[in-house]
Amino acid sequence: MNKDVRQQTQGPAQLAFPITRWYFDCSLVDLQAYSAETILGHLASRHDFALDHLQRDSWLDQIKHLKKTLAGITTGHLFFEYTIPRMGRRADVIIIVGSSVFVVEYKVGTQVYDAAAKRQTMGYALDLENFHEGSHQLRIIPVLVATGAAEGPMPTEALIGSTRAVGLTAGPQLQKAIQAAATATGPVIDPMKWANSRYKPTPTIIEAAISLYAGHNVADISRSDAGAINLTTTSDTAASIIDNAKHTGEKAIIFISGVPGSGKTLAGLNIATNRMHQQEGEHAVFLSGNGPLVEVLRESLARDEVERAKQRGERRTKEEALRNASSFIQNVHHFRNEALESTEAPIERVAIFDEAQRAWDEPKTAQFMKKNRGLKDWGQSEPEFLISAMDRHKGWCVIVCLIGNGQEIHTGEAGITEWFRAIKNSYPDWKAYVPSGHDLQASEIERIGCAVSAESRPGLHLSSSIRSFRSEHVAAWVDAVLHGEADRATDLQANLRDYPIHISRDLSECRAWLRSQTHGTDRAGLVASSNAIRLKPHGIHVKAGISVKNWFLDWEDDVRSSQALEDVGTEFDVQGLELDWTTVCWDANLRYVTSAWETHRFSGSKWKNVNKGADQRYLVNAYRVLLTRARQGMVIYVPEGDSSDPTRSSKYYDGTYEHLIACGATPLGTQRSTAESATSAQQITRCAPAMTP
C-alpha cells in the first residue's frame, strides 16, 4: 500500500485513500494479513455506485481466491480495480512481480473462457502496452481467471509478454507463473512508480463517448501531454461561457476550431455530458449530420448502459437505453425536423453542432424543404433556422459550433460564413465567441467574426493533434500522396516508424495481414470509395451497403462485422469513425497517370471523366478519408487489372501502384515494416522464463 497515505500503526496498514487510479493496493505479504472484509471495505469506499450484492460477492470471492493462490509468495505488489482510461473500465487486478506485470481479469464461477472475456483481458494488456509509459518495454502478462473452469493453456507467448495471447486458468497456473516471475532475473519494477506513471490514452470516438457518458471527464480519458492540456483548456473555456450565459440570461454561440485530429468532437461530447442536467433545466444535446456516426454512437452507448446495469444487478432493456442515448446524441436533420413540427423551444438549452461548417446553405435547404416538406417559399439556410429554433427559449441558451476543415465529400455545405451572416442579419442580440488566430483556420474564423463583434478567446482553438497514438505524420503523408509529391511522401514515411503502410495486389494477402495484426479489442476492416464499382469482380461490393452499428461494434462471429473482412465500408460510412487496421481498396476512379491524378466516375458500363472542380475535390477527399481511418497501420490493395475487361485495364491501376511504392508504401511479403521489426525486438527484450502448462 502506498506508504505516503498510511497511518503510523502496527500491523496491516489502515488507509486514508487519496485520489488514485486504483481502489486498493498492498504488498502480496500484506494481502495475507488483511482480512477479506477489511479489503472489501476499502473497495466499497471507492466504488462509484451503491454496493449491490453481486459486486460485493464477486469482490469477496476474488479476495479469497487471491489469498489462496498467492499464499507463500513473499515478493510483489497488488492493485485492485486499476483504471484503464481509454476503455473507460477497470482491470480487476494488477500484480507486479519482479520485472513482470500481470493483468488479471476474474470471471467468478464461470466455467468457460468465452471470447468476449479473452478480448477484454487482452484489451487491458494492450492498453497498458500502448498508452502507459511505465509499461513500455515491460513483460505484460494478460491472464483470464475463470474460477469454475478447467485449466486452460498458459501460452509461452503470454509469459514472454508479447501480449498476443491470454493465459487461461482457474488459479493454479497463475500461481506457477507468478512464482516463476518472482525468481526470474531482470530489473525489479517499483510498483508505486509504475502505478503513478503517466498515461497517454488516445481513445476512439466510440470509446470516448462511452467513457464520458458513463461519468468520466475528458481528463480521465485523454493524454497527459500538450494535446490533452489543450483539450481540457477548451472544455473549461466553453464551460465558463455557458455558465456566464446561464447567470446573465445571455444567448451565446461558441465557435471551436482545431487542427485535424485535435479532438473537436471529443470536446463537444465532453461539453454535452457535463450539461445533461435535465432536472435543472440545462439539458444538452450533441448534434451531427453524420448519420453513421450518430447510429454507431447511440448503439454503443445503449449496449454499454445495458451491460453496466447488468453488472450492478439491475435490469435495463435495450429499448430504454437507446431512448436515453437518443436524447443525448441526435441527427441534426431530425432535430431540425422536430423544430419544424412545433413552435415550442426545444428541451435542450445547450446544443453542440459537430462539423457545423457542413450545415446546408439556403439553396440546399430550400431544395430539401420543397421536396420533403412541401414548403415552396423557404428562405433560410440551415444555420439560420437552427439558431431560430434555439432562439425560442426565454432567457439563456448556448450553441456550440465545432468547426472542421478539409475532407468535404458532400455538396451544398454552407461553411462558417453562413453562421455569422445569420447572427448579423437576423439575431444580432446573440453573443458570439470565436477562437483567437493560432492558425489559418482560427484566424479566418476570428476575421469573419469581427463582422458581428465577436469576442475572441484563445482557449477555443485546439492546436495539437491527438488522433494517432502511433504517429501524427499520417495525415501529412496522405496529403503528399494525393498531391502527387512522392519525394515529400517518402521523407514523411521515414517518420512513420510505428505505423506500417503496406501495399499489395492480392486481396487475400491483405486479409491475412489484417488478421495477423489484430489482437484483443483491435478492430480491422476493408474500406473503399463509394464509386469503386469495378472492385466488384474481387468480391468488394460497395453498393451493397453495410449495417454500420454491426460493422463497427460486433466481432468476427457476426458476418456483418468489419472484423469478418467481408462487407466494405465507404467514405460515407467511416467518416468521423476509426479502425485500428485497414485495407484501403483502390479502384480506377482515382488513378495516377503520367505524374498526375486523373478523376473518373463509373456510370452504366464505362468510366467517365470527372471534370467539375468541386466533384474532383470530393473524389480526392473520399480517398483522404479512407487513407486516414487506421490508427495503427494499413495495407493498400491495388488490383492487377484484367486485359480481357476494358473497364479493368491494368493501365488504370499500374500507375497508382507505382506511385504509392514511390511514396514509401512497402509491398507485403518482401520485407517487414519498421514497426513490425520493432515489435519483434521489443518482444525479445521482454523474455521471461517459459512455463510448462
Side-chain angles (χ1 to χ4, degrees):
M1 193 177 302
N2 189 343
K3 64 182 179 181
D4 295 333
V5 293
R6 287 180 175 174
Q7 296 178 0
Q8 300 301 312
T9 59
Q10 298 296 318
Q14 302 301 309
L15 194 133
F17 269 105
I19 300 301
T20 59
R21 292 180 185 146
W22 59 94
Y23 281 10
F24 175 82
D25 76 283
C26 66
S27 70
L28 298 192
V29 171
D30 278 353
L31 176 67
Q32 304 301 329
Y34 285 112
S35 69
E37 288 71 22
T38 297
I39 298 174
L40 176 65
H42 287 306
L43 294 174
S45 71
R46 296 293 310 281
H47 196 42
D48 295 331
F49 304 97
L51 185 62
D52 59 72
H53 72 280
L54 288 176
Q55 181 64 76
R56 176 185 182 278
D57 292 347
S58 177
W59 274 338
L60 279 173
D61 286 340
Q62 288 178 37
I63 295 165
K64 293 174 182 177
H65 186 272
L66 283 165
K67 279 176 164 285
K68 179 180 178 180
T69 301
L70 304 180
I73 300 176
T74 59
T75 62
H77 206 90
L78 174 148
F79 299 87
F80 271 103
E81 299 290 334
Y82 190 87
T83 300
I84 307 293
R86 184 181 66 89
M87 300 175 71
R89 297 185 182 276
R90 295 179 181 271
D92 286 339
V93 179
I94 300 288
I95 302 173
I96 308 289
V97 181
S99 56
S100 298
V101 179
F102 289 82
V103 182
V104 184
E105 181 66 17
Y106 267 92
K107 299 300 176 185
V108 175
T110 301
Q111 298 180 350
V112 296
Y113 305 103
D114 66 75
K118 287 188 283 187
R119 195 161 47 234
Q120 178 184 7
T121 308
M122 179 69 77
Y124 290 159
L126 288 172
D127 195 89
L128 290 174
E129 179 185 82
N130 289 323
F131 306 117
H132 185 242
E133 284 191 352
S135 297
H136 297 343
Q137 305 299 322
L138 296 182
R139 291 190 288 266
I140 305 174
I141 305 167
V143 180
L144 174 60
V145 178
T147 59
E151 285 297 286
M154 185 72 81
T156 301
E157 288 83 0
L159 294 181
I160 289 176
S162 66
T163 65
R164 297 300 183 267
V166 177
L168 309 175
T169 180
Q173 291 191 100
L174 175 61
Q175 182 185 55
K176 292 179 182 179
I178 291 176
Q179 287 172 336
T183 58
T185 58
V188 176
I189 302 169
D190 179 334
M192 299 315 300
K193 183 178 180 180
W194 176 90
N196 288 295
S197 179
R198 288 195 305 174
Y199 223 115
K200 295 183 177 181
T202 53
T204 66
I205 194 62
I206 296 172
E207 293 165 341
I210 290 173
S211 296
L212 294 170
Y213 192 66
H216 295 271
N217 62 46
V218 72
D220 293 332
I221 61 172
S222 61
R223 288 155 50 172
S224 54
D225 57 7
I229 294 170
N230 198 203
L231 188 57
T232 303
T233 299
T234 297
S235 296
D236 290 345
T237 301
S240 68
I241 295 171
I242 295 170
D243 288 338
N244 180 68
K246 185 177 180 180
H247 177 72
T248 62
E250 179 179 273
K251 288 182 169 67
I253 183 165
I254 305 169
F255 294 88
I256 295 177
S257 63
V259 300
S262 59
K264 293 181 293 294
T265 300
L266 179 55
L269 286 169
N270 189 55
I271 294 166
T273 52
N274 286 338
R275 297 290 166 175
M276 290 194 303
H277 308 303
Q278 193 165 339
Q279 71 279 7
E280 302 173 17
E282 194 187 323
H283 193 50
V285 63
F286 182 89
L287 299 167
S288 173
N290 185 335
L293 175 68
V294 170
E295 183 178 354
V296 170
L297 290 183
R298 281 179 174 178
E299 179 72 14
S300 63
L301 296 182
R303 291 186 185 188
D304 187 68
E305 184 178 338
V306 170
E307 179 60 27
R308 290 178 189 270
K310 180 180 177 181
Q311 293 173 1
R312 297 194 299 268
E314 302 171 1
R315 184 180 181 276
R316 186 69 47 83
T317 67
K318 178 74 171 296
E319 290 72 21
E320 289 175 314
L322 274 173
R323 280 197 299 272
N324 292 338
S326 297
S327 69
F328 168 54
I329 295 178
Q330 296 181 27
N331 190 302
V332 66
H333 303 311
H334 296 166
F335 181 85
R336 176 202 61 206
N337 292 345
E338 289 181 9
L340 282 169
E341 294 169 2
S342 171
T343 58
E344 297 293 319
I347 189 174
E348 299 86 6
R349 289 274 182 175
V350 180
I352 298 97
F353 291 92
D354 194 26
E355 298 288 357
Q357 79 284 355
R358 291 182 178 166
W360 291 346
D361 57 20
E362 190 276 328
K364 177 74 172 181
T365 309
Q367 180 186 40
F368 173 86
M369 293 299 182
K370 181 178 180 180
K371 180 180 179 181
N372 295 279
R373 313 290 299 192
L375 302 174
K376 298 181 180 180
D377 298 319
W378 189 264
Q380 291 180 305
S381 65
E382 195 167 34
E384 185 172 358
F385 179 70
L386 293 172
I387 296 173
S388 75
M390 293 296 290
D391 192 61
R392 297 170 188 173
H393 280 292
K394 294 181 179 179
W396 78 281
C397 65
V398 176
I399 291 174
V400 180
C401 290
L402 308 177
I403 307 296
N405 59 358
Q407 299 189 357
E408 294 86 354
I409 56 177
H410 291 283
T411 59
E413 295 171 354
I416 60 169
T417 304
E418 183 57 35
W419 289 92
F420 290 103
R421 190 204 64 78
I423 297 169
K424 181 179 180 181
N425 294 345
S426 304
Y427 302 98
D429 56 323
W430 278 64
K431 181 68 176 291
Y433 297 86
V434 299
S436 297
H438 292 284
D439 69 354
L440 291 176
Q441 186 193 18
S443 298
E444 179 68 5
I445 296 172
E446 189 175 23
R447 184 189 65 78
I448 297 172
C450 290
V452 294
S453 301
E455 183 175 323
S456 299
R457 294 285 181 90
L460 296 178
H461 179 69
L462 293 160
S463 58
S464 300
S465 174
I466 61 171
R467 173 176 290 162
S468 175
F469 68 89
R470 286 288 176 88
S471 175
E472 296 182 356
H473 300 282
V474 177
W477 181 83
V478 170
D479 186 70
V481 169
L482 295 177
H483 277 90
E485 300 171 358
D487 290 342
R488 180 165 72 96
T490 302
D491 291 340
L492 289 165
Q493 196 273 340
N495 294 318
L496 302 176
R497 296 175 181 175
D498 296 324
Y499 189 99
I501 300 175
H502 287 306
I503 192 167
S504 176
R505 312 203 81 167
D506 183 342
L507 186 56
S508 62
E509 184 180 49
C510 295
R511 287 190 171 105
W513 183 78
L514 289 182
R515 292 188 176 105
S516 72
Q517 300 302 307
T518 51
H519 305 282
T521 53
D522 287 353
R523 294 202 68 88
L526 308 176
V527 296
S529 161
S530 57
N531 192 243
I533 307 298
R534 296 313 296 142
L535 295 180
K536 186 176 181 181
H538 303 281
I540 299 171
H541 300 264
V542 294
K543 295 303 181 184
I546 63 171
S547 171
V548 289
K549 62 183 180 182
N550 301 106
W551 200 80
F552 275 104
L553 301 177
D554 291 329
W555 298 96
E556 57 271 7
D557 55 350
D558 187 329
V559 297
R560 299 169 297 178
S561 167
S562 70
Q563 299 289 91
L565 303 182
E566 294 186 14
D567 292 344
V568 60
T570 71
E571 68 273 21
F572 298 111
D573 301 317
V574 304
Q575 189 172 39
L577 294 160
E578 298 169 310
L579 298 170
D580 291 286
W581 306 91
T582 63
T583 290
V584 179
C585 304
W586 206 297
D587 201 8
N589 55 338
L590 184 64
R591 60 185 80 153
Y592 200 75
V593 180
T594 59
S595 302
W597 288 107
E598 290 185 357
T599 52
H600 300 266
R601 177 176 57 86
F602 195 81
S603 178
S605 62
K606 62 180 66 176
W607 291 106
K608 297 181 179 179
N609 293 332
V610 173
N611 297 317
K612 290 179 62 176
D615 292 337
Q616 291 175 340
R617 185 171 66 253
Y618 294 144
L619 175 55
V620 171
N621 281 338
Y623 276 88
R624 189 185 306 277
V625 169
L626 300 175
L627 289 165
T628 54
R629 289 312 92 191
R631 286 158 52 87
Q632 300 194 50
M634 64 178 155
V635 57
I636 303 170
Y637 168 59
V638 182
E640 292 276 6
D642 185 344
S643 59
S644 65
D645 183 348
T647 68
R648 294 191 294 129
S649 172
S650 60
K651 67 181 181 181
Y652 295 163
Y653 300 97
D654 289 348
T656 300
Y657 180 81
E658 291 164 4
H659 173 63
L660 292 169
I661 291 286
C663 289
T666 306
L668 272 181
T670 58
Q671 67 181 71
R672 290 185 301 175
S673 70
T674 304
E676 290 162 333
S677 299
T679 298
S680 297
Q682 188 179 64
Q683 292 174 9
I684 292 171
T685 66
R686 293 176 177 166
C687 286
M691 288 293 299
T692 302

